[in-house]
Amino acid sequence: MMSEDARQMMLVYEDPSDQRSISLDDASSSEESPDETKLSLETANDAIPYIGQRFVTHDTAYEFYSEFAKRCGFSIRRHRTEGKDGVGKGLTRRYFVCHRAGNTPMKNSDDNKPQRNRKSSRCGCQAYMRISKSTELGVPEWRVTGFANHHNHELLEPNQVRFLPAYRTISESDKNRILMFAKTGISVHQMMRLLELEKCIEPGYLPFTEKDVRNLLQSFRKVDSEDESLDLLKMCRNIRDKDPKFKFEFTLDSGGRLENIAWSYASSIQSYEIFGDALVFDTTHRLTAFDMPLGIWVGMNNYGMPCFFGCVLLREENLRSFSWALKAFLGFMNEKAPQTIMTDQNMCLEEAIGMEMPTTKHALCMWLTVAKFPSWFNAVLGERYNEWKAEFYRLYNLETIEDFEFGWRDMVNTFGLHTNRHIASLYALRHLWALPYLRSHFFAGLTTPGQSKSINAFIQRFLSAQTRLAHFVEQVAVAVDFKDQAGEQQTMQQNIQNISLKTGAPMESHAASVLTPFAFSKLQEQLVMAAHYASYQMEDCFLVRHHTKLEGGQRVYWVPQEGILSCSCHQFEFSGILCRHALRVLSTGNCFRIPERYLPLRWRRSMPLNRHLQAPRGNHAERVQLLQSMVSSLVTESAKSKERLDLATEHVSVLLSRIREQPVSNV
């Protein structure tokens, strides 16, 4: 365990306080004696400084003492210089001291300047090395004339001392690599991992930290931030002039500088009308070159593909900023709040959601938490880590709260994690991430690992190629447009592929004609499993359980006259897809079509026709977008049979000939 002194030093080693002279007790140190003097340039044998040791320059002496300090567990700094009286005598004596020498000077408080409340690492340590300049046979040299190696604090271990500022350096070649990485838009964490792989060193053993890289990236910026902000606002206004449905909001600080900005595109607002029931608000990214927190709203469409809803850039990650961002987003979306929103663990963000979206269910993105597991549990569990992780996923996916609570206690006992703070934190927040606590809320499948990878890949696309801040809005627009085009192609491919019916049940063919292939595949899985379940008529419900089980099961409530169907597993409430238990009851009751209300609009192939008819027809871009949507629907419907395809081909050929006869005019 690290000592308290060592821990304090690790926390405060970047103390910028000035280097005032300290009082060194020369009497307590080794002093030069003529008998002890011997010539010794830096060799492998001279591991410890000694009186009389000689160096060609004072810089060479400093480097030697610095290497010695690093091996011992501390760092040094240049302290005091002295010179002889007389003209041209120059520097004749230097002191090098432990970095914890001296005491922190008192600073005069200035009410007009923010104060950085940081502890100092200085504790009056007396360790030092003194060198003096002399000339023998006309050749100048530096000799050690004083040395003390007694410290009044604990020294650091080798794996700790490397984090002291004196030993954290970024070489020119590494700076060039980091600058190149920054242009690709990857995160600082990813930069560190790439450099470690390139150098074949273990994670965490680079001679610099992520904070050093962030500081370096800040220094790379050659464009004034105020000019950047003005360019960004100008860019947003230009986009809105071309597209009145583009929306953006921003705030300025007391100095008139850009503080926060959020924006959304017309296509995103349109998608949100139907697919904004469940979304992810990912705030884990930053614009690398500008070190600005970035928030991204994203959801999932009826074909299981990510759809972009909006972006926000924040100066700070606090309650005020998050609250403003959520208000701006709701403003873009006509004050329509989502049913559920998933985020990373952040107390300020959680409080802001409670304030601005009080009716929305808030949950944690489990894939963001799981990404931290290796650093949390690898060392603790060792070879049992993978076994524990498998058990964690099993608990995460359980159906009932009772099973989860029992299983969690058993897991903690099995792996001896009673005192682990991460386990305690996870359990305290279980109502925000464990599926047994969330199944009665709609998540549109966003909790599945496949969707997390898809969303992350989507986000990474427009985080790339970050150059100037003003260009980022355009980069996002290009990425969203590319995703929309790719989505159209994937949609067509899904629609024209032959769907394989596995059960032969009329309900299956009915669902296949209504739902998108993505949604139908989820329902089909439940239909196949339903055949393995038995249903028992109870007084007020049906009890459904696997045919191999003698106890337990789920309760299904069905009122055919009112078309009401519900199951205690809450599968439909959670995903919008009927569960195997409910499907089994429908089959038992000779129901050959799934009730309309259990084929949700958001999972259907075709959107309502009146949505197209209500679209404004004055704007050329909107009319082109409408036509693209109609063509997509045409292909979807035509591909369902040979007769439909022949009819569509015939009429489209005639229509295309008539269109080509029309004159072309400037739009």
Side-chain angles (χ1 to χ4, degrees):
M1 291 291 293
M2 195 187 308
S3 70
E4 185 60 34
D5 284 342
R7 185 179 293 106
Q8 183 190 47
M9 182 164 70
M10 292 295 288
L11 290 172
V12 299
Y13 52 69
E14 291 182 310
D15 177 34
S17 52
D18 59 356
Q19 300 179 6
R20 294 191 307 169
S21 295
I22 61 171
S23 174
L24 295 174
D25 184 4
D26 290 349
S28 67
S29 65
S30 302
E31 291 294 336
E32 178 182 5
S33 168
D35 296 335
E36 293 174 338
T37 303
K38 68 176 181 179
L39 180 63
S40 175
L41 297 178
E42 307 91 305
T43 66
N45 295 326
D46 295 330
I48 303 175
Y50 57 87
I51 301 301
Q53 189 174 7
R54 300 183 181 185
F55 300 93
V56 175
T57 66
H58 58 80
D59 287 333
T60 324
Y62 177 85
E63 292 170 6
F64 173 81
Y65 190 32
S66 179
E67 285 298 317
F68 167 76
K70 187 175 183 180
R71 292 193 303 271
C72 292
F74 67 101
S75 67
I76 64 170
R77 69 174 189 270
R78 292 177 173 88
H79 173 56
R80 195 168 69 212
T81 60
E82 296 177 356
K84 291 183 179 179
D85 294 334
V87 179
K89 296 294 184 179
L91 185 66
T92 60
R93 182 178 292 181
R94 298 210 69 157
Y95 286 86
F96 306 131
V97 299
C98 172
H99 75 288
R100 302 196 67 176
N103 296 296
T104 306
M106 293 297 295
K107 294 183 179 179
N108 295 324
S109 61
D110 187 344
D111 295 335
N112 297 323
K113 293 183 179 180
Q115 298 296 316
R116 303 183 69 179
N117 185 23
R118 296 191 301 180
K119 293 182 180 179
S120 172
S121 64
R122 299 190 180 186
C123 61
C125 181
Q126 293 289 307
Y128 80 103
M129 184 177 85
R130 184 181 67 229
I131 58 174
S132 300
K133 186 177 181 181
S134 63
T135 302
E136 291 188 6
L137 301 177
V139 179
E141 62 181 8
W142 292 84
R143 291 189 302 170
V144 176
T145 57
F147 173 63
N149 199 33
H150 303 294
H151 298 264
N152 63 352
H153 56 88
E154 290 197 22
L155 302 177
L156 297 177
E157 296 295 327
N159 65 333
Q160 300 168 341
V161 72
R162 60 194 177 87
F163 289 113
L164 292 171
Y167 307 124
R168 293 194 338 236
T169 57
I170 305 180
S171 67
E172 285 301 317
S173 60
D174 285 341
K175 287 180 181 179
N176 292 332
R177 294 291 288 165
I178 290 168
L179 179 57
M180 185 194 73
F181 290 151
K183 290 180 179 179
T184 68
I186 65 174
S187 68
V188 173
H189 182 74
Q190 290 171 321
M191 293 182 195
M192 299 288 284
R193 298 294 83 80
L194 284 173
L195 289 169
E196 287 164 354
L197 290 172
E198 289 178 356
K199 297 174 180 292
C200 299
I201 61 176
E202 294 182 21
Y205 276 80
L206 286 171
F208 47 86
T209 65
E210 289 192 12
K211 183 175 181 180
D212 298 326
V213 175
R214 293 189 191 280
N215 290 337
L216 179 66
L217 291 173
Q218 283 293 97
S219 70
F220 280 155
R221 296 187 61 190
K222 296 181 179 179
V223 181
D224 184 80
S225 59
E226 292 188 20
D227 291 340
E228 282 282 287
S229 300
L230 291 174
D231 288 346
L232 176 59
L233 293 176
K234 182 179 179 181
M235 176 66 67
C236 288
R237 291 187 178 106
N238 289 340
I239 295 175
R240 190 172 59 184
D241 289 342
K242 297 176 183 177
D243 180 7
K245 288 200 170 184
F246 171 77
K247 295 186 178 182
F248 75 101
E249 293 286 345
F250 63 94
T251 62
L252 303 176
D253 63 17
S254 57
R257 296 180 295 271
L258 183 66
E259 188 176 34
N260 306 305
I261 184 168
W263 68 93
S264 184
Y265 307 97
S267 61
S268 301
I269 297 169
Q270 190 177 39
S271 295
Y272 186 84
E273 292 177 14
I274 291 182
F275 307 121
D277 41 18
L279 58 88
V280 173
F281 184 29
D282 190 343
T283 57
T284 61
H285 303 280
R286 304 180 81 88
L287 287 191
T288 309
F290 306 96
D291 200 31
M292 292 184 70
L294 170 70
I296 303 160
W297 289 280
V298 63
M300 184 165 65
N301 68 12
N302 52 337
Y303 284 84
M305 293 176 243
C307 51
F308 174 87
F309 294 140
C311 249
V312 63
L313 283 169
L314 304 170
R315 184 181 296 178
E316 302 289 343
E317 295 178 277
N318 53 35
L319 176 60
R320 176 174 168 271
S321 296
F322 285 133
S323 180
W324 176 87
L326 294 172
K327 281 182 181 177
F329 179 75
L330 289 175
F332 298 158
M333 305 306 172
N334 301 311
E335 303 303 326
K336 178 185 175 182
Q339 294 180 37
T340 54
I341 185 170
M342 299 175 66
T343 71
D344 191 20
Q345 183 178 343
N346 185 304
M347 291 182 63
C348 292
L349 182 53
E350 182 180 355
E351 187 175 349
I353 291 171
M355 292 167 51
E356 307 302 334
M357 298 179 173
T359 62
T360 298
K361 173 61 180 177
H362 175 227
L364 298 180
C365 284
M366 202 56 212
W367 68 79
L368 297 175
T369 302
V370 169
K372 304 168 187 175
F373 280 2
S375 61
W376 287 358
F377 300 113
N378 236 333
V380 175
L381 295 168
E383 294 180 353
R384 302 191 70 188
Y385 171 72
N386 289 330
E387 180 188 353
W388 171 84
K389 192 174 180 181
E391 176 62 10
F392 177 88
Y393 277 124
R394 186 188 73 81
L395 297 175
Y396 169 70
N397 285 292
L398 287 173
E399 290 189 346
T400 69
I401 293 175
E402 293 76 12
D403 288 344
F404 175 85
E405 292 289 344
F406 177 81
W408 187 270
R409 288 192 296 269
D410 189 50
M411 178 268 289
V412 171
N413 291 331
T414 301
F415 293 92
L417 296 171
H418 304 83
T419 60
N420 187 278
R421 63 186 179 92
H422 297 300
I423 286 292
S425 176
L426 284 170
Y427 184 72
L429 297 171
R430 63 194 182 283
H431 62 287
L432 292 177
W433 61 264
L435 296 190
Y437 291 89
L438 302 174
R439 291 193 183 279
S440 59
H441 301 276
F442 182 69
F443 282 87
L446 290 171
T447 59
T448 61
Q451 283 305 318
S452 68
K453 293 179 181 178
S454 177
I455 288 174
N456 190 58
F458 173 54
I459 291 173
Q460 289 301 326
R461 179 170 185 84
F462 58 77
L463 285 179
S464 63
Q466 297 171 28
T467 51
R468 291 190 59 194
L469 186 58
H471 294 170
F472 183 67
V473 178
E474 285 186 321
Q475 291 166 2
V476 175
V478 169
V480 170
D481 191 48
F482 175 85
K483 188 66 181 179
D484 287 345
Q485 293 177 24
E488 287 288 337
Q489 294 176 358
Q490 292 180 38
T491 297
M492 289 185 182
Q493 290 172 1
Q494 279 192 35
N495 286 332
I496 64 177
Q497 68 185 10
N498 292 323
I499 294 177
S500 174
L501 301 180
K502 298 180 180 180
T503 68
M507 278 193 296
E508 184 181 19
S509 57
H510 173 228
S513 67
V514 177
L515 300 177
T516 63
F518 170 80
F520 172 71
S521 68
K522 304 300 180 185
L523 182 71
Q524 190 178 51
E525 291 175 5
Q526 298 297 317
L527 274 168
V528 170
M529 288 190 288
H532 299 273
Y533 281 73
S535 65
Y536 304 93
Q537 177 79 58
M538 308 296 284
E539 184 177 346
D540 60 344
C541 66
F542 288 85
L543 181 64
V544 183
R545 60 174 173 241
H546 197 271
H547 72 95
T548 62
K549 304 291 184 181
L550 299 177
E551 296 179 351
Q554 300 291 345
R555 295 181 177 272
V556 177
Y557 300 86
W558 184 32
V559 185
Q561 300 83 356
E562 300 179 17
I564 296 176
L565 183 67
S566 66
C567 179
S568 57
C569 77
H570 299 294
Q571 166 78 14
F572 181 78
E573 291 85 350
F574 182 67
S575 66
I577 303 294
L578 278 178
C579 64
R580 53 198 180 276
H581 316 108
L583 291 169
R584 177 58 179 157
V585 170
L586 289 177
S587 179
T588 301
N590 297 321
C591 185
F592 301 106
R593 291 171 65 91
I594 295 175
E596 286 294 304
R597 66 164 59 180
Y598 297 105
L599 295 172
L601 175 65
R602 68 118 50 236
W603 292 131
R604 296 194 183 197
R605 289 174 179 264
S606 302
M607 296 297 104
L609 183 61
N610 62 354
R611 182 164 169 258
H612 298 310
L613 295 177
Q614 292 173 0
R617 302 186 58 82
N619 185 286
H620 178 77
E622 290 176 354
R623 294 176 67 186
V624 170
Q625 188 177 22
L626 170 60
L627 180 61
Q628 288 177 332
S629 178
M630 294 172 67
V631 170
S632 177
S633 298
L634 174 67
V635 173
T636 298
E637 296 299 323
S638 302
K640 292 180 179 179
S641 70
K642 181 179 181 300
E643 292 75 18
R644 286 187 176 195
L645 194 59
D646 291 341
L647 181 65
T649 303
E650 178 184 350
H651 284 275
V652 170
S653 297
V654 174
L655 179 61
L656 191 57
S657 298
R658 292 182 59 188
I659 290 173
R660 285 172 175 161
E661 293 173 359
Q662 300 300 312
V664 177
S665 60
N666 294 328
V667 178

